[in-house]
Amino acid sequence: TELYPLSLHDALPISVRLEYCRKVYGFISAKYPKRLTHEEESLSLFEEVAGDIAFALHNFEMEEERNQADKALWENQKRLKRAQAIAHLGFWDRDIVNDTLYWSDEIYRIFGLKTQEFGETYAAFLDYIHPEDREFVQRHVDETLNEKAEYDIDYRIVLPDEIGRASCRERV
């Protein structure tokens, strides 16, 4: 392959914008031999390279934004856990179709359990309700589901070493 030695008199400048999704990241410039001025394929290749560079810059920018969003989310989750621990307040979420429950870390502490030391089903949850309060809790849950309403109830829970109290506000 023959190299093209260039002198200032034998070269023509070309500049192409580094643009992707209507955002300009900069310009790329080069000089090329005058004898190639009519070779559209060479110019097209240069534009394609510029497009690839702009695409790479776009991906770097998007990755940085994702990393910042992930960091912000992690910080917010950390603050939420701290606030729940301070208030001794937790939350849970029930998937009725798959009969699973998600408990926040503070709910485990309220129930005197280690994280993930729970059957994660509604039936397992009811096992921790004081036997005399189970029907009461179940009735309120059923009414809430049927009426797509809200409930706010207090009930006793069976803790490892004692009987405790829990308050629950739920919305479907």
Side-chain angles (χ1 to χ4, degrees), residues 22-112:
R22 291 191 242 168
K23 181 172 182 179
V24 177
Y25 291 91
F27 291 87
I28 186 168
S29 298
K31 291 193 175 213
Y32 64 96
K34 285 181 182 177
R35 64 180 175 205
L36 297 179
T37 56
H38 298 293
E39 291 190 28
E40 290 296 322
E41 189 175 303
S42 297
L43 297 177
S44 177
L45 179 61
F46 189 71
E47 290 172 345
E48 186 178 325
V49 168
D52 290 345
I53 292 170
F55 179 70
L57 291 171
H58 172 76
N59 284 338
F60 286 137
E61 184 177 67
M62 297 307 295
E63 184 64 27
E64 181 61 28
E65 287 178 14
R66 275 190 295 275
N67 289 341
Q68 289 175 0
D70 286 347
K71 183 180 178 186
L73 178 61
W74 183 81
E75 289 291 331
N76 284 338
Q77 288 173 336
K78 195 166 86 171
R79 287 183 189 112
L80 175 62
K81 285 182 180 183
R82 185 168 176 241
Q84 287 180 7
I86 290 169
H88 203 52
L89 174 74
F91 73 94
W92 57 276
D93 189 22
R94 180 179 177 195
D95 179 342
I96 297 169
V97 173
N98 295 310
D99 189 31
T100 58
L101 290 179
Y102 168 81
W103 278 11
S104 69
D105 291 347
E106 191 59 26
I107 291 286
Y108 284 98
R109 283 189 280 281
I110 290 168
F111 277 73

